[in-house]
Amino acid sequence: MIELLRADALTRLADRDPNATPGFDGDKAAGQEALAAGVDHLSALQERLFAASTAGERRRVLLVLQGMDSAGKGGIVRHVVGSVDPQGVHLATFKRPTAHELSHHFLWRIERELPPVGRIGVFDRSHYEDVLIGRVRQLAPADEIEQRYADIVEFERRLVRTGISVVKVMLHVSHDEQQARLAERLNRPDKHWKYNPGDVDERMLWPDYQRAYETAIQRTSIDEAPWYIVPANRKWFARLAVQSLLTDALERIDPQWPAATYDVEAEKARLAQS
Amino acid sequence: MIELLRADALTRLADRDPNATPGFDGDKAAGQEALAAGVDHLSALQERLFAASTAGERRRVLLVLQGMDSAGKGGIVRHVVGSVDPQGVHLATFKRPTAHELSHHFLWRIERELPPVGRIGVFDRSHYEDVLIGRVRQLAPADEIEQRYADIVEFERRLVRTGISVVKVMLHVSHDEQQARLAERLNRPDKHWKYNPGDVDERMLWPDYQRAYETAIQRTSIDEAPWYIVPANRKWFARLAVQSLLTDALERIDPQWPAATYDVEAEKARLAQS
């Protein structure tokens, strides 16, 4: 499944069907079953990563989640990330930058939220906003936006070099699906708080955003940290795909239970007497 | 159940049986079933709290978890806190203070980890360590330790006044049960990393720690923020009890879905045209 989701410098969004379920030929029920079946393995890998970090393992994973409003970022956090021990997760949500954040380089606030050793880091939105809404809304001069792609590549290369596996996911929904999801928020009083009139303002710039995503994906899909375009019209598939990506990243690290740093038999004797 | 767990200025630990299941007369299977049955309600309350906070609700909950090594704090985080959306939780683990933290008042690092609005805050260990290990190991002069109880009461009264429900839980395990749990860590290679020879050093001071807990509980169980002594020899009961405490605290807040701050019909029309 994973290889089918991968993007590179030539990827075009128009070639990726938001309704597809690449590499998985089951239906929704089968997908949900597969998701549930993967929980324990992912959770165990995370615990082993945490354990290994107490003995010097410095590798870790950073999941970067991007997507248009209602693409399902929150659902991924809740249903995929939420299945592992909260102690093993470092979650950061990036909203509109504060004045203080804007007074720094755009990567400043990102750097501060990198996961500590032993943790899975999760970014709900990220530094990519600075080349997405930043580009579409012209929040910075054009040459500065251009510079940011290079800054991001250099930054992520450093992360990978220092042991952070960067897993970048674009949740790819269709224009129609977004309309249906926003409409649901308007139709249900218990969802009204999730709706923001600004969501439709951004929606009206849909083609610009798609171009900005495509450009970001093309420019920053490096071998060490490629993008994965996850079709997200079917929530169950998107969740299963992200679970697979996280599992794969942790399996590549293959963290090991650390050996005791003390004399086990001596401690058994000491404990027995206590 | 909750009232039976509550402590006050006269509570004695010796009167609380770590094996008991106060207010619950089912067995382990029934307890686990009750825990599973409570997940959706707790999770829904948390989501409503988060939603309400976007419309000005400032009340929130802070769960303070204390207990001897192996008392089950990590299991509570994993199995109770882990059942709600990670976006709705602010988890802080307090370890031995750094030199930088020690250069400040002991509440300084605590203040920095208070939960933002809309979140359930969870402290895995807390400011109470400063009157527990602080007292037992004489990490500060006696008069300073004395002052800390008053500082804590004043601090927590302020939290409550500003809308933070402080739920303080001591996970109460017996001396024998701790020995069994530490022995399990020594008997299983995949648990070796969880064992620390220092755990037995602290265990040898068991009576001192019990006295320090009792004193802390008596001095800081104020009406606004009482302690709850949760018998923790049966992990399933401790988890069920903490779930009940969290649920109760959120029910008292009774957060409401906020009304739309925009014209719903106008937005429906605008969305339909987009």
Side-chain angles (χ1 to χ4, degrees):
Chain A
M1 176 191 296
I2 292 175
E3 283 311 309
L4 298 172
L5 304 176
R6 196 174 167 124
D8 61 30
L10 301 173
T11 295
R12 295 172 55 92
L13 275 180
D15 298 336
R16 305 291 182 111
D17 177 3
N19 269 312
T21 62
F24 188 81
D25 52 17
D27 59 3
K28 179 173 176 175
Q32 289 174 329
E33 205 173 303
L35 183 72
V39 162
D40 285 350
H41 182 45
L42 177 60
S43 190
L45 280 166
Q46 189 286 315
E47 192 186 357
R48 254 202 284 146
L49 182 74
F50 192 87
S53 77
T54 65
E57 175 62 78
R58 296 188 60 81
R59 287 173 296 172
R60 59 205 110 152
V61 176
L62 172 63
L63 173 66
V64 174
L65 289 173
Q66 286 287 160
M68 299 293 288
D69 285 320
S70 83
K73 299 183 292 295
I76 297 287
V77 172
R78 186 171 194 137
H79 298 283
V80 181
V81 176
S83 72
V84 311
D85 191 337
Q87 295 160 105
V89 172
H90 181 87
L91 171 66
T93 303
F94 294 98
K95 299 190 184 293
R96 182 200 294 252
T98 63
H100 180 55
E101 287 168 346
L102 285 172
S103 75
H104 290 276
H105 185 266
F106 77 99
L107 291 172
W108 178 82
R109 65 174 186 160
I110 306 299
E111 185 96 39
R112 290 158 56 98
E113 293 289 355
L114 291 173
V117 294
R119 306 303 202 296
I120 297 174
V122 179
F123 283 178
D124 178 354
R125 302 188 186 271
S126 67
H127 43 302
Y128 284 97
E129 290 297 318
D130 296 278
V131 292
L132 293 169
I133 192 170
R135 185 182 181 102
V136 171
R137 291 287 186 179
Q138 301 178 354
L139 301 180
D143 59 342
E144 189 181 321
I145 299 285
E146 282 305 308
Q147 177 62 43
R148 288 179 182 172
Y149 299 108
D151 286 354
I152 288 174
V153 166
E154 191 180 6
F155 171 67
E156 292 182 356
R157 285 212 163 103
R158 165 161 62 85
L159 299 190
V160 172
R161 210 161 52 229
T162 54
I164 301 181
S165 307
V166 184
V167 180
K168 303 184 288 197
V169 167
M170 182 210 178
L171 295 172
H172 185 35
V173 285
S174 66
H175 191 246
D176 285 353
E177 178 66 19
Q178 190 197 44
Q179 191 179 46
R181 292 185 185 179
L182 293 177
E184 201 204 348
R185 293 180 182 179
L186 286 170
N187 286 329
R188 287 180 49 180
D190 63 334
K191 299 265 188 193
H192 281 171
W193 68 280
K194 285 192 173 182
Y195 179 88
N196 184 323
D199 298 346
V200 171
D201 298 340
E202 299 310 302
R203 175 173 165 77
M204 288 179 178
L205 300 169
W206 186 274
D208 296 340
Y209 273 103
Q210 297 295 300
R211 266 194 301 275
Y213 266 105
E214 189 168 272
T215 303
I217 287 167
Q218 291 174 350
R219 301 273 193 98
T220 66
S221 276
I222 52 179
D223 283 349
E224 305 95 309
W227 275 94
Y228 294 92
I229 300 174
V230 172
N233 275 11
R234 300 170 202 255
K235 289 178 182 175
W236 62 265
F237 176 77
R239 291 168 191 173
L240 182 62
V242 175
Q243 186 191 60
S244 297
L245 285 164
L246 276 179
T247 300
D248 176 70
L250 286 162
E251 281 177 346
R252 281 166 196 269
I253 294 176
D254 191 21
Q256 300 298 316
W257 297 116
T261 53
Y262 47 84
D263 181 334
V264 176
E265 294 309 316
E267 289 299 321
K268 281 183 187 172
R270 210 161 70 93
L271 176 63
Q273 282 159 26
S274 71
Chain B
M1 175 189 297
I2 291 176
E3 283 311 310
L4 298 172
L5 305 176
R6 195 173 168 125
D8 60 30
L10 301 173
T11 296
R12 294 172 56 91
L13 274 181
D15 298 335
R16 304 292 182 111
D17 178 1
N19 269 312
T21 61
F24 188 81
D25 52 16
D27 60 3
K28 178 174 176 174
Q32 289 174 328
E33 205 172 302
L35 184 72
V39 162
D40 285 351
H41 181 44
L42 177 60
S43 190
L45 281 166
Q46 189 287 316
E47 193 187 357
R48 254 201 284 145
L49 182 74
F50 192 87
S53 77
T54 66
E57 175 62 77
R58 295 187 62 80
R59 287 174 297 172
R60 58 206 111 150
V61 176
L62 172 63
L63 173 67
V64 174
L65 289 173
Q66 285 289 160
M68 298 294 288
D69 285 320
S70 83
K73 299 182 292 296
I76 297 287
V77 172
R78 186 170 192 136
H79 297 283
V80 181
V81 177
S83 72
V84 312
D85 191 336
Q87 295 159 104
V89 172
H90 180 87
L91 171 66
T93 303
F94 294 97
K95 299 192 184 292
R96 182 198 294 252
T98 63
H100 180 55
E101 288 168 345
L102 285 172
S103 76
H104 291 276
H105 185 267
F106 77 99
L107 291 173
W108 178 82
R109 65 174 185 159
I110 305 300
E111 185 96 38
R112 291 158 56 97
E113 293 290 355
L114 291 173
V117 294
R119 305 304 203 294
I120 296 173
V122 179
F123 284 178
D124 179 354
R125 302 188 187 270
S126 66
H127 42 302
Y128 284 98
E129 290 297 318
D130 296 278
V131 292
L132 294 169
I133 192 170
R135 184 181 181 104
V136 171
R137 292 286 186 181
Q138 301 178 352
L139 302 180
D143 60 340
E144 188 180 321
I145 299 284
E146 281 306 308
Q147 178 62 42
R148 287 179 183 173
Y149 300 108
D151 286 355
I152 287 173
V153 166
E154 190 179 8
F155 171 66
E156 292 182 358
R157 284 212 163 103
R158 164 160 63 85
L159 299 189
V160 171
R161 211 161 50 230
T162 55
I164 301 182
S165 306
V166 183
V167 180
K168 303 184 288 197
V169 168
M170 181 209 179
L171 295 172
H172 186 34
V173 285
S174 66
H175 191 246
D176 285 352
E177 178 66 18
Q178 190 197 43
Q179 191 180 47
R181 291 185 186 179
L182 293 177
E184 201 204 348
R185 292 180 183 178
L186 285 170
N187 287 329
R188 286 179 50 179
D190 64 334
K191 300 265 187 193
H192 282 171
W193 68 279
K194 286 192 172 182
Y195 179 88
N196 184 325
D199 297 347
V200 171
D201 299 339
E202 300 309 303
R203 175 173 166 76
M204 289 179 177
L205 300 169
W206 186 274
D208 296 339
Y209 273 105
Q210 296 295 299
R211 267 194 301 276
Y213 266 105
E214 190 169 271
T215 304
I217 287 167
Q218 292 175 348
R219 302 273 193 98
T220 66
S221 275
I222 52 179
D223 282 349
E224 306 94 308
W227 274 94
Y228 295 93
I229 300 175
V230 172
N233 275 11
R234 301 171 202 254
K235 289 179 182 175
W236 62 265
F237 176 77
R239 291 168 191 172
L240 182 62
V242 175
Q243 185 191 60
S244 297
L245 285 164
L246 276 179
T247 300
D248 176 69
L250 286 162
E251 282 177 346
R252 281 165 197 270
I253 294 176
D254 190 21
Q256 301 298 316
W257 297 116
T261 53
Y262 47 84
D263 180 336
V264 175
E265 294 309 316
E267 287 300 320
K268 281 184 186 172
R270 211 162 70 94
L271 176 63
Q273 280 159 27
S274 73

